[in-house]
Amino acid sequence: MKTKRFMAVALTTALSAGALYGSVATADTLNNVLAVEQQKTTAAQSSQKRIDKIAEETGGLLQDFKVVNKQIDGLRVYNRQLEKQLANQLAVIKDLNESIENVTVIERQIQPLILKMLDSLEQFIKLDAPFQLDERMSNLEHVKKDMDRSDVNVAEKFREVLELYNFEAEYARKITSYGDTLNVNGTDREVNVLQIGRIALLAQTTDSKISLAYDKEKRAWVEIDAGEYRRAIMNGLKIAKKQASTDIMTMPIAAPEAAQ
């Protein structure tokens, strides 16, 4: 009996020990499973972070791509506009080159024309009534000197010549007076000269006793009737000096010649 009880106790102890060992083994397996799951979860989280990062980078790249595309479209439009402007500039350059070639030809033709105009103007002044002769010849000589200057272009030279012609044209449209010295009866006398356009050129001594008129045919100053024209010349001098209002003047004017 004692032997059976002992065997029963031993069997019970053995079963308990086996059960305890099985429990311990099951716990270790569960821990291993949990550890593996934790590793998987950690790996999944890392993968998700990498995926999120890649998605974020991809979204940024896509946005950059869209911005660059817009810039490229803008550059294409800008380049097309530049091509049009370039074509227009090339056309302008072509026209300018042709104009430069034409200017060179025109300059060769204008220079002789300017010199002829100056020669003609000089002859005209010498043949014209001798009013303000010193001033007119001085202006002419000044322009003639500019013709030999290399730093004055043809356009400026031509402008100066035209300006001289305008000055000469202006003389025919105004009444002026100025002081001068004339030889009167063999004696130099101070006179007041009255210029009425190119119609009449008159003079009167400063004491108003002698009156003269320029005779274009004789190309000389001739004395005129002081009684008849003395007062008229005095009034004309006042009008020229803006000391009297414009009025009718009786002056010795040569009758125009009939055209041949």
Side-chain angles (χ1 to χ4, degrees):
M1 284 299 290
K2 288 181 180 180
T3 301
K4 289 180 180 180
R5 285 180 182 175
F6 178 77
M7 291 178 64
V9 171
L11 180 60
T12 303
T13 302
L15 289 172
S16 298
L20 178 62
Y21 177 78
S23 298
V24 172
T26 301
D28 290 340
T29 301
L30 181 60
N31 288 334
N32 290 334
V33 170
L34 291 175
V36 171
E37 289 297 326
Q38 183 62 38
Q39 290 176 357
K40 289 181 179 180
T41 301
T42 302
Q45 290 175 348
S46 299
S47 298
Q48 186 61 45
K49 288 181 180 179
R50 288 195 297 272
I51 290 171
D52 293 341
K53 184 177 181 181
I54 293 172
E56 183 180 353
E57 291 176 352
T58 303
L61 291 174
L62 179 61
Q63 186 63 30
D64 292 342
F65 176 74
K66 291 180 180 179
V67 172
V68 171
N69 266 346
K70 288 183 179 179
Q71 292 177 348
I72 291 173
D73 290 339
L75 288 173
R76 285 173 179 168
V77 174
Y78 180 67
N79 286 337
R80 285 196 294 269
Q81 185 64 28
L82 285 182
E83 287 174 358
K84 292 180 181 179
Q85 293 179 359
L86 180 61
N88 184 59
Q89 289 175 352
L90 291 174
V92 171
I93 291 173
K94 181 181 178 182
D95 292 340
L96 287 175
N97 288 333
E98 292 177 356
S99 298
I100 291 172
E101 293 177 358
N102 293 334
V103 165
T104 303
V105 175
I106 292 173
E107 283 185 357
R108 289 198 296 265
Q109 296 174 346
I110 286 183
Q111 191 67 35
L113 174 63
I114 291 175
L115 297 177
K116 289 180 181 179
M117 291 175 68
L118 283 176
D119 290 340
S120 298
L121 187 59
E122 184 175 7
Q123 292 298 320
F124 175 79
I125 293 174
K126 289 179 179 179
L127 295 174
D128 195 18
F131 59 86
Q132 301 185 22
L133 191 58
D134 291 341
E135 177 183 351
R136 295 161 72 191
M137 292 302 297
S138 176
N139 292 337
L140 178 64
E141 289 301 320
H142 174 74
V143 175
K144 288 176 69 175
K145 288 180 180 178
D146 284 349
M147 296 301 107
D148 298 329
R149 290 177 54 182
S150 60
D151 59 331
V152 180
N153 58 43
V154 175
E156 179 62 19
K157 292 176 181 178
F158 190 62
R159 186 196 64 80
E160 290 182 359
V161 173
L162 290 181
E163 192 173 53
L164 273 182
Y165 271 78
N166 286 331
F167 285 157
E168 289 297 323
E170 283 294 320
Y171 288 131
R173 294 192 288 266
K174 58 185 180 180
I175 300 175
T176 59
S177 66
Y178 58 92
D180 202 351
T181 301
L182 296 178
N183 187 285
V184 181
N185 298 325
T187 304
D188 289 340
R189 298 287 301 271
E190 296 294 324
V191 298
N192 293 316
V193 178
L194 174 63
Q195 175 205 345
I196 305 175
R198 282 192 166 83
I199 297 175
L201 185 61
L202 308 158
Q204 194 172 73
T205 55
T206 53
D207 58 9
S208 303
K209 291 182 178 179
I210 301 176
S211 298
L212 305 108
Y214 184 76
D215 190 325
K216 291 183 180 180
E217 291 185 359
K218 295 180 180 180
R219 300 188 58 78
W221 288 94
V222 296
E223 189 173 345
I224 58 177
D225 187 352
E228 183 178 359
Y229 296 113
R230 177 174 174 272
R231 179 62 60 182
I233 295 176
M234 290 177 65
N235 288 337
L237 289 170
K238 289 181 180 180
I239 293 172
K241 295 175 182 179
K242 310 299 181 184
Q243 297 174 353
S245 58
T246 304
D247 197 359
I248 297 175
M249 295 178 291
T250 303
M251 296 293 177
I253 299 174
E257 296 180 359
Q260 300 296 324

